[in-house]
Amino acid sequence: MPDISVLIIDDEPSILKAVSMTLKQEHIAVTCADNGTLALDILKANTFDLILLDIIMPDQDGFSILKVIRSSQNYTPVILLSGRGEDSAQVKGLELGADDYITKPFSKTVLVSKIRAMVRRTNQYVSSSDEVITEVKKGPFALRMNSQTVLKNGKEISLTSKEFSLLYLFIENPEYIFSKQELFSKVWRSDNCDDSTILVYIKKLRDKLEDDPSHPTHICTVWGKGYKFCI
């Protein structure tokens, strides 16, 4: 019985067929949408563990779909499907709330590994019981582990899965200086550090958590070394 459910949004029939077949062989439940309107209708009535979203589509591109998904307070992990040479598009997608990306053509092994790793990291914060919400508190912040939200001075702030994972790492290690390589290794589970991705997510956290993002007091830069969490 499938333990993971994935929504694939892509206008290319060959991609939908190939990815669907690959995931089903790995016992992953698959739902397909070949356009944005259909995808958003499906999301109104169903929940998924992960969304695979193509960037380039004719009727409604992936960016527009992603904006609607996140504006509706849906924080299901999203992996973008992008063509090679689209670095700026990948960065834009991350800024809009995507959690990761994979470039075409991609290997079946890499795709399945990314999906399972993303879902596993998301689920580790979700309580399987009906107990009271578990919180991790540090300074003005309280992390709600099952809803992946953070409270700052009692005000709730919604975070994507990756944003939450990054903040959790910082809060669990206050004053520790993380290099970009360390952050990428621990949060993205990869040794191939992508500096632009780290910069995007540091900016996103500051925009959401800092009183003045241009002069951060919590997500602090240590010049020449990396970043640390300051209480």
Side-chain angles (χ1 to χ4, degrees):
M1 183 176 179
D3 58 347
I4 295 176
S5 60
V6 173
L7 172 63
I8 309 170
I9 309 172
D10 197 306
D11 67 302
E12 296 184 43
S14 59
I15 296 293
L16 286 176
K17 182 178 180 180
V19 174
S20 295
M21 186 178 301
T22 294
L23 299 189
K24 288 177 181 178
Q25 289 173 348
E26 295 294 325
H27 306 291
I28 295 174
V30 175
T31 300
C32 296
D34 59 6
N35 63 78
T37 300
L38 175 58
L40 294 174
D41 284 343
I42 290 173
L43 285 170
K44 288 178 182 177
N46 302 272
T47 59
F48 298 90
D49 294 305
L50 185 136
I51 299 169
L52 288 176
L53 174 60
D54 188 30
I55 291 178
I56 307 300
M57 291 187 287
D59 67 322
Q60 190 174 13
D61 66 25
F63 298 136
S64 300
I65 298 170
L66 184 57
K67 285 180 181 178
V68 176
I69 291 173
R70 293 302 188 230
S71 65
S72 65
Q73 304 299 304
N74 183 333
Y75 293 101
T76 301
V78 173
I79 297 179
L80 295 175
L81 303 178
S82 67
R84 294 191 182 280
E86 296 177 354
D87 288 349
S88 60
Q90 292 163 358
V91 170
K92 180 178 179 181
L94 294 173
E95 290 176 337
L96 290 173
D99 295 275
D100 202 351
Y101 59 83
I102 185 169
T103 55
K104 301 177 184 178
F106 45 79
S107 74
K108 297 177 181 179
T109 302
V110 170
L111 175 62
V112 173
S113 295
K114 276 184 174 284
I115 290 172
R116 290 197 179 280
M118 179 74 68
V119 172
R120 184 170 59 250
R121 287 197 296 275
T122 301
N123 287 344
Q124 70 179 313
Y125 301 116
V126 180
S127 171
S128 60
S129 69
D130 295 325
E131 297 176 359
V132 176
I133 293 174
T134 301
E135 291 188 347
V136 174
K137 297 182 179 180
K138 198 79 68 174
F141 300 102
L143 273 65
R144 289 181 170 177
M145 306 308 289
N146 66 340
S147 60
Q148 295 195 38
T149 55
V150 60
L151 301 178
K152 180 181 179 183
N153 296 321
K155 181 179 179 181
E156 185 174 309
I157 302 169
S158 296
L159 301 178
T160 66
S161 176
K162 272 293 191 297
E163 292 167 358
F164 188 89
S165 296
L166 185 57
L167 179 60
Y168 180 71
L169 179 64
F170 277 130
I171 282 182
E172 283 291 279
N173 301 275
E175 301 299 331
Y176 179 86
I177 301 172
F178 288 97
S179 67
K180 292 178 182 177
Q181 179 65 54
E182 283 182 294
L183 291 175
F184 206 78
S185 175
K186 292 180 180 296
V187 177
W188 280 264
R189 306 293 184 183
S190 173
D191 293 328
N192 299 317
C193 182
D194 185 334
D195 285 2
S196 62
T197 297
I198 296 296
L199 292 174
V200 166
Y201 273 86
I202 291 295
K203 181 180 184 300
K204 289 167 68 175
L205 275 185
R206 285 173 171 168
D207 287 344
K208 291 185 176 184
L209 302 178
E210 301 283 359
D211 292 333
D212 181 359
S214 62
H215 296 89
T217 58
H218 298 295
I219 310 297
C220 303
T221 300
V222 180
W223 297 108
K225 295 183 178 181
Y227 303 93
K228 68 176 182 177
F229 177 76
C230 303
I231 299 174

